């Protein structure tokens, strides 16, 4: 009986580990609202993120802070844009053993860059991150409207779910 109890306990622990990370479908509109409501200052920018050296290999449960450079357009809530190149740290954070990665792409992305005393940072986590690769012009237009309004509405989020 101890053997059966041990096996049941083992399967119970394995299934809770497998189900422990449950993520919503990523939606850049929800991400906009999250960073917009944060106490920290974020900038919405669209451009290219390039690693400034080798990207450290993933290790379960170990966060990585990867130096990079972001070149692109920074948006303001007045509709103004400014082309900039800035150093960025990509914070590939972990939730238990699941970790975010470096957004490997030479394609333009929309990112929410957090301003800190040390410079800009962008979050990558196992469920999503503060960026979207292959952003469409229509998505960018919706997000610019959200920036002017100060929030993405439920209708904006619903529309962005279709991309």
């Amino acid at each position: 009986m101890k053997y059966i109890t041990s096996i049941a306990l083992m399967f119970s622990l394995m299934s809770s580990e497998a189900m422990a990370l449950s993520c919503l479908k990523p939606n850049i509109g929800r991400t906009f609202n999250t960073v917009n409501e944060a106490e920290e200052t974020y900038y919405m920018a669209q451009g290219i993120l390039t690693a400034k050296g080798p990207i450290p290999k993933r290790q379960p449960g170990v966060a990585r802070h990867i130096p990079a450079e972001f070149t692109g357009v920074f948006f303001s809530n007045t509709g103004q844009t400014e082309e900039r190149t800035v150093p960025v740290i990509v914070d590939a954070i972990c939730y238990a053993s699941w970790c975010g990665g470096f957004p490997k792409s030479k394609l333009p992305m929309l990112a929410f860059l957090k301003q800190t005393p040390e410079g800009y940072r962008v979050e990558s986590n196992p469920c999503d991150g503060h960026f979207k690769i292959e952003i469409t012009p229509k998505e960018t237009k919706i997000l610019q409207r959200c920036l002017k309004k100060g929030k993405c509405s439920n209708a904006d989020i619903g529309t962005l779910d279709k991309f």
Side-chain angles (χ1 to χ4, degrees):
M1 189 60 135
K2 279 185 179 180
Y3 181 70
I4 293 173
T5 304
S6 296
I7 290 175
L9 179 62
M10 180 182 73
F11 281 119
S12 160
L13 291 172
M14 286 172 46
S15 67
S16 67
E17 178 72 18
M19 293 175 28
L21 184 64
S22 179
C23 302
L24 287 173
K25 177 184 171 196
N27 182 298
I28 197 70
R30 276 196 303 270
T31 304
F32 176 93
N33 287 344
T34 297
V35 301
N36 193 51
E37 293 166 4
E39 290 183 20
E40 299 88 2
T41 301
Y42 284 85
Y43 290 91
M44 187 171 89
Q46 188 169 353
I48 305 288
L49 184 70
T50 307
K52 295 308 286 179
I55 299 170
K57 291 186 180 188
R58 288 182 195 225
Q59 295 178 23
V62 178
R64 297 172 294 157
H65 307 284
I66 306 158
E69 183 175 83
F70 187 90
T71 299
V73 175
F74 280 62
F75 299 97
S76 76
N77 59 358
T78 64
Q80 299 292 324
T81 60
E82 180 185 354
E83 184 84 25
R84 296 171 64 188
T85 297
V86 296
V88 173
I89 299 293
V90 175
D91 293 315
I93 63 172
C94 301
Y95 302 157
S97 61
W98 299 277
C99 299
F102 188 87
K104 293 187 220 173
S105 177
K106 296 195 185 294
L107 299 171
M109 66 177 0
L110 187 126
F112 297 102
L113 305 175
K114 180 168 72 171
Q115 186 176 25
T116 70
E118 299 80 33
Y120 293 102
R121 301 183 90 87
V122 66
E123 179 181 316
S124 174
N125 65 60
C127 288
D128 192 5
H130 291 167
F131 60 90
K132 182 173 187 217
I133 298 172
E134 294 189 83
I135 192 97
T136 68
K138 187 170 183 180
E139 288 172 293
T140 300
K141 191 172 188 172
I142 292 168
L143 289 165
Q144 285 178 297
R145 190 172 62 234
C146 294
L147 186 60
K148 286 181 183 177
K149 294 186 301 186
K151 182 176 184 177
C152 283
S153 67
N154 288 337
D156 295 327
I157 291 169
T159 301
L160 290 166
D161 254 342
K162 297 174 184 172
F163 292 92

